[in-house]
Amino acid sequence: MSRRGLAAVASVLDQAASSATNILVLVLAARLSSASGFADFSMVYVTFSVLLGLNMAYVGQSVVLEKGERLAPVCRSAVGFTGVASTAVGAVLAVTGLLLPGAAGDAFLALGLVLPLVLLQDGLRYCFSALRAPGRALAADTLRLVCVTGALAVQPEGATAQRLVLVWGLSALPALALGLWLLRPSVRGARADLRPYLRRGHLGQRFVVEFAVGNGSSQLAVLGLGVFATPLAVGALRGATTLFGPLNVLFNSAGAFGPPVVGRASGKRGVVRLTALLGGALALLGAGWAAVLYALPDRVGRELLGDTWAAASALLPATGAQYAVMGLGTCALLTLRVLNPRATLSLQVVFSLLSVGLLLGGYALWGVAGAAWGLAVGSAAKAGAGWLRVARLEVPAPAGAEPAAAPAGAAGQGPSSPAA
C-alpha cells in the first residue's frame, strides 16, 4: 500500500477509535449510574460534545488546511490557544457548577476541572493530521480508548455523575502526555502566537457558524418533527439513521482529516479528480450498506433495533439514498475546503435549512417515509450545488505554485482565493 493509502487508513482508524471512545463512555456510564445519575452525566456530556465541536471548527479545521513551513508554529499556536481557551471555559463551568444545586452542579464542576485535559488531547489529532502523521494520532487515541474504558469499568455500581466525569477526564492524561511527546519533535523551536485567533477574519469563525447551522438545523428538524409526528415516527427515523453510524465515521474522517491528503494533489484538476473518485467510492459504499441492511432477516434486525426495526426498515431505501448522495456532498465540501475554504459557509447555511423544510414538508404530505425522502432530496441538492460551485470555482494560482499565503489577520487559514 502507498504512503498516502496508509495515511488514509490511519486517519479512518483514528476517527473510529475516537468514535468508539465516545460510545463506550456513554454505555459504561449508563450501566454504572442510576437513572437520575445518568441524566446528570448526559447533560454534562452533551455540553462537552458541543464544546468539542466548537473547538474542532474554530481551531482544528483551520489547522488541517495549513501546509509548508507554517505548520510548526501553527500547531504550537493551536495547542496553546486550545489550552488557554479551554481553561477559561472550564473556569466558567466550574463556577456555574458551584452555583447549581445538587448532583448536576457537582457534575458541571467536575467538567470544568477536566475540560482542558480532554479538549487538548482531542485537539492534537488535527495537528498530527496537518503534519501528515495520522499514525501518531491513532497511537494516542488508542491509548485514550484503553485508559478510559479501563478506568470506568472498575468504578462501583451507583457511582455519582461527578465521580464518573472526573474519572473520564483524568483518564485522558496518559494519552495527552503521549500526544505531546509525539508532537514535540515537529514543533521544537517554533513560537506560538495566539493573537491571530482573536482577530476578526480568522477562518475558524466561518467554520463555527457552519458547525452551529449544521448541528442546529438537525436539532431543529428533530424538534419540529416531534411537534407534528408521533413518537413512533421519530423513533423510526432515528433508528434508520443509527444503522448508518459506520458511514458517519468515514464521512467525518474525510471531512476533518482529508484536506492535508487531498491538498497534495497538483492543481485544481488533480484535487477534483481525487475527491470525485473518493465521492464515488463513498456513494457506492452508502448504497451497498443500504442493500446489506435491507436484506437483513427480521430476526437480526430486531436484535439491532428491537421493536423499532419494523418501522425503521421501511425507511432504509430513502435513508440509503440519503447516505449515498451524502458521500458525494461530503467530497464536494472537501474540495471547496482545499481550493477555497470561504466557499462552504453559504452552502451549509442554505442547504441545511432546506433539508429541514423538506423533512417537515415531506412528513406533512407522505408521513414518515416522506420525511426520510425529504432528507434524501435535501442531501442530493446540497451535493449538486457543491459540485456546481466546484466547477465554477476559479483558482488563479499558476501551475506548480503554492497557494497564496493567508492574510496576516487570518491565522490558521489554508490556501486562499477570492471569496465565493
Side-chain angles (χ1 to χ4, degrees):
M1 185 180 290
S2 67
R3 186 175 180 180
R4 183 181 296 179
L6 289 173
V9 170
S11 293
V12 172
L13 291 176
D14 177 55
Q15 184 68 28
S18 179
S19 299
T21 299
N22 292 331
I23 293 171
L24 289 174
V25 164
L26 290 171
V27 169
L28 290 170
R31 290 183 175 181
L32 292 169
S33 306
S34 64
S36 60
F38 185 65
D40 294 332
F41 183 87
S42 297
M43 285 194 302
V44 168
Y45 208 75
V46 167
T47 302
F48 161 71
S49 298
V50 172
L51 293 173
L52 182 68
L54 290 174
N55 186 65
M56 176 273 292
Y58 196 81
V59 181
Q61 284 294 285
S62 57
V63 168
V64 298
L65 292 173
E66 283 292 348
K67 58 167 57 175
E69 297 179 354
R70 286 173 48 84
L71 275 176
V74 163
C75 288
R76 183 177 282 274
S77 300
V79 171
F81 179 80
T82 298
V84 172
S86 60
T87 300
V89 175
V92 173
L93 287 172
V95 172
T96 302
L98 290 174
L99 297 176
L100 289 175
D106 293 339
F108 275 101
L109 171 61
L111 177 62
L113 296 176
V114 301
L115 185 68
L117 301 179
V118 290
L119 283 188
L120 266 175
Q121 192 276 319
D122 185 84
L124 293 176
R125 294 194 297 145
Y126 299 94
C127 294
F128 289 130
S129 178
L131 293 166
R132 298 172 187 167
R136 301 180 191 177
L138 177 59
D141 285 335
T142 301
L143 180 60
R144 169 64 169 150
L145 174 61
V146 171
C147 290
V148 72
T149 53
L152 288 176
V154 299
Q155 297 307 304
E157 191 170 341
T160 64
Q162 181 186 41
R163 175 169 179 159
L164 293 178
V165 171
L166 285 173
V167 169
W168 160 75
L170 292 174
S171 66
L173 273 171
L176 174 59
L178 176 61
L180 291 174
W181 180 71
L182 292 173
L183 181 66
R184 184 181 177 184
S186 299
V187 300
R188 185 183 290 114
R191 295 185 59 185
D193 184 6
L194 309 188
R195 293 171 299 175
Y197 285 99
L198 305 177
R199 293 175 185 159
R200 185 177 181 180
H202 171 56
L203 192 59
Q205 294 167 7
R206 300 177 70 90
F207 295 154
V208 164
V209 175
E210 290 186 27
F211 170 80
V213 170
N215 283 266
S217 64
S218 62
Q219 295 300 321
L220 178 63
V222 172
L223 292 174
L225 188 61
V227 171
F228 302 106
T230 65
L232 179 61
V234 178
L237 197 59
R238 280 185 174 273
T241 303
T242 300
L243 293 172
F244 287 83
L247 293 185
N248 286 328
V249 173
L250 292 177
F251 294 168
N252 290 337
S253 182
F257 303 107
V261 177
V262 174
R264 299 170 64 183
S266 177
K268 177 185 176 181
R269 181 175 298 180
V271 169
V272 172
R273 183 185 298 116
L274 183 57
T275 54
L277 287 172
L278 177 60
L282 291 178
L284 289 174
L285 186 61
W289 185 252
V292 169
L293 292 173
Y294 194 71
L296 285 178
D298 287 342
R299 176 179 55 81
V300 177
R302 289 193 182 92
E303 289 290 329
L304 293 172
L305 292 181
D307 293 338
T308 305
W309 168 255
S313 61
L315 305 182
L316 288 176
T319 307
Q322 178 193 357
Y323 272 81
V325 294
M326 277 175 63
L328 295 172
T330 295
C331 290
L333 292 175
L334 173 59
T335 308
L336 292 172
R337 281 284 169 91
V338 173
L339 297 177
N340 182 4
R342 297 180 181 273
T344 57
L345 177 58
S346 59
L347 283 173
Q348 293 279 46
V349 171
V350 171
F351 288 95
S352 292
L353 296 178
L354 175 63
S355 292
V356 173
L358 289 171
L359 178 145
L360 298 177
Y363 180 80
L365 293 174
W366 300 291
V368 66
W373 280 111
L375 288 175
V377 172
S379 295
K382 184 176 182 178
W387 283 110
L388 182 61
R389 178 158 293 191
V390 169
R392 293 178 174 177
L393 187 66
E394 294 184 3
V395 183
E402 287 289 326
Q413 283 183 221
S416 60
S417 58

